Amino acid sequence: MPLIAIVVAALAIGFEQLIQWKYGPMGIIAFVALTVGIKAKNNMLSGIGAVIIVMLLAQSG
């Protein structure tokens, strides 16, 4: 069980670093808002995070 938790934590940190490298601080803010909104079952917060992510993806493409 602890090995699985370490692997999941490493993947989450790696994913966070990838987002920050590619989309900057706004990508981290959007990712955190989306994650917290989903975990807290707060539709407004997760919607804001999703909208920011979509805007960042549209801007880079």
Side-chain angles (χ1 to χ4, degrees):
M1 184 67 152
L3 180 62
I4 294 173
I6 291 172
V7 170
V8 169
L11 288 174
I13 291 171
F15 185 69
E16 181 180 338
Q17 291 297 317
L18 176 69
I19 288 177
Q20 185 171 6
W21 170 72
K22 187 158 176 110
Y23 300 111
M26 197 55 136
I28 292 294
I29 292 169
F31 180 68
V32 168
L34 181 62
T35 304
V36 170
I38 289 172
K39 288 189 183 256
K41 296 182 180 168
N42 185 337
N43 291 332
M44 187 173 89
L45 188 58
S46 60
I48 289 170
V51 166
I52 294 172
I53 288 174
V54 168
M55 289 172 49
L56 289 171
L57 290 173
Q59 181 182 16
S60 68

